Amino acid sequence: MFSKACEYGIRSVLFIAEQSQLDKRPNIVEIAKAVDSPEPFTAKICQQLARAGIILSKKGPNGGFYLEKKSKLTLAEIVTCIDGGSIFNGCSLGLPQCSAAHPCPVHDQFNEVREGLKKMCENTTVIQLSEKLRNGETFLKL
């Protein structure tokens, strides 16, 4: 459902959040390795997220990317930053005129999926997910 950039972005932010809880600021090389993403692509995504204020960055010898420990950042904010809001609002087939009055063939079925995805992303914080990573309940790569 998400673009490849969004998938890498979410994974990167989750790793950054996990590391931030340990008072660490990972750099691009560390992030790319941890989430199994190409370094140049990871750098581009992290720069986009930093410019939008989704993640924070610090330059210098102790620099890297981080989140505030008490961040309220949700998955929806990451998705919207990278993919825009169309995943939560647009037509699943990409039609410009899709609506309840003029539905595409999968409009009604996808509407339920889209609403569920939107609710999950809006109600799930990055910190909640990073705690599961830190506790070994979930993983970012095999």
Side-chain angles (χ1 to χ4, degrees):
M1 296 199 89
F2 301 122
S3 69
K4 190 54 91 176
C6 193
E7 290 172 7
Y8 286 141
I10 292 170
R11 290 179 1 206
S12 296
V13 173
L14 290 175
F15 177 71
I16 292 166
E18 176 193 25
Q19 294 299 296
S20 295
Q21 296 299 311
L22 302 171
D23 293 320
K24 296 180 181 178
R25 293 186 195 111
N27 61 34
I28 293 298
V29 174
E30 294 166 324
I31 296 166
K33 184 177 180 182
V35 302
D36 203 21
S37 171
E39 281 182 37
F41 198 39
T42 304
K44 182 179 176 183
I45 294 165
C46 286
Q47 288 168 356
Q48 179 182 354
L49 292 167
R51 277 193 304 272
I54 300 291
I55 57 176
L56 304 169
S57 66
K58 182 177 180 184
K59 295 184 182 194
N62 295 320
F65 294 94
Y66 65 101
L67 281 178
E68 295 294 335
K69 285 189 174 186
K70 296 186 180 192
S71 172
K72 302 281 190 229
L73 178 67
T74 65
L75 288 180
E77 292 171 90
I78 300 167
V79 172
T80 301
C81 177
I82 297 173
D83 281 352
S86 65
I87 193 163
F88 300 128
N89 305 314
C91 174
S92 64
L93 299 180
L95 301 176
Q97 299 292 325
C98 183
S99 67
H102 191 74
C104 74
V106 295
H107 179 82
D108 293 332
Q109 295 89 336
F110 189 73
N111 200 34
E112 290 178 32
V113 172
R114 182 178 47 230
E115 288 302 315
L117 178 65
K118 182 177 182 181
K119 184 176 180 180
M120 183 274 297
C121 287
E122 289 175 343
N123 294 318
T124 303
T125 69
V126 168
I127 297 300
Q128 289 170 327
L129 297 177
S130 73
E131 288 172 2
K132 290 182 178 188
L133 282 171
R134 225 177 37 255
N135 294 335
E137 297 172 47
T138 60
F139 61 92
L140 289 173
K141 74 175 196 177
L142 294 174

